[in-house]
């Protein structure tokens, strides 16, 4: 949903299940670190607010947003997690590089979701300006990290209910 219509940090806490028994991997891009670290902080704070413990939140860093797919794939393969959250930020520049990175990361994460048993949450900001990114990383539109954490908790609960 476009953040112009909804604050990314706005949700009804009563609709979020208890996360105390859930394990999360977070793959965060080091590129545009001033933004991605705030996304990470939002995600971790939200997970903890809903019961996840520090020991059940595992953070892994990759160099850029294009590497989020590979990082998420390796977390699925080697870490004992119930969901993976990917966090990155790509800001449009003067070359088509933006399009390639955004399309590649989007397709890669979509492919992981279609082929793996562990859900991968898409937390890639794709903005025209750094100001827009900052507005979505704890600014006037909230924090995309919060939204990703809530999504991860809800999809884990969804899977748990299916397996009963």
């Amino acid at each position: 949903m476009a953040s112009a219509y909804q604050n990314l940090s706005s949700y009804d806490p009563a609709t979020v299940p208890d996360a105390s028994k859930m394990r999360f991997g977070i793959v965060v891009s080091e590129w545009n670190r001033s933004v991605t670290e705030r996304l990470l902080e939002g995600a971790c704070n939200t997970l903890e607010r809903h019961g996840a413990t520090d020991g059940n939140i595992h953070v892994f860093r990759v160099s850029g947003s294009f590497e989020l797919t590979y990082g998420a794939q390796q977390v699925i393969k080697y870490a004992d997690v119930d969901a993976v959250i990917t966090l990155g930020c790509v800001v449009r520049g003067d070359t088509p590089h933006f399009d390639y990175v955004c399309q590649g990361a989007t397709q890669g994460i979509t492919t992981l979701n279609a082929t793996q048993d562990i859900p991968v949450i898409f937390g890639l900001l794709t903005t025209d300006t750094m100001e827009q990114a900052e507005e979505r990383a704890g600014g006037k539109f909230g924090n995309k990290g919060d939204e990703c954490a809530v999504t991860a908790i809800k999809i884990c609960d969804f899977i748990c209910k299916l397996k009963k």
Side-chain angles (χ1 to χ4, degrees), residues 25-151:
I26 303 176
V27 181
V28 60
S29 169
E30 293 177 336
W31 193 257
N32 289 320
R33 184 177 223 130
S34 64
V35 172
T36 61
E37 288 299 313
R38 286 187 276 164
L39 296 173
L40 176 61
E41 181 180 349
C44 289
N45 289 343
T46 299
L47 291 172
E48 291 172 359
R49 187 175 315 115
H50 294 287
T53 62
D54 280 344
N56 284 342
I57 301 170
H58 307 282
V59 177
F60 306 92
R61 288 182 168 74
V62 295
S63 56
S65 292
F66 195 81
E67 291 74 32
L68 290 171
T69 300
Y70 182 77
Q73 179 189 46
Q74 296 308 300
V75 170
I76 290 169
K77 188 173 182 179
Y78 294 111
D80 184 21
V81 298
D82 298 309
V84 177
I85 299 169
T86 59
L87 300 172
C89 174
V90 184
V91 179
R92 187 178 303 278
D94 295 330
T95 68
H97 182 259
F98 172 90
D99 298 317
Y100 301 134
V101 171
C102 295
Q103 289 172 4
T106 301
Q107 184 59 49
I109 292 168
T110 299
T111 299
L112 288 176
N113 276 315
T115 61
Q116 301 296 309
D117 290 329
I118 303 296
V120 180
I121 310 307
F122 185 78
L124 178 63
L125 293 179
T126 57
T127 62
D128 290 324
T129 67
M130 184 57 79
E131 180 183 2
Q132 289 173 338
E134 291 167 350
E135 290 172 345
R136 289 154 179 81
K140 71 179 184 179
F141 292 122
N143 191 316
K144 181 73 171 175
D146 295 343
E147 180 186 61
C148 291
V150 169
T151 300

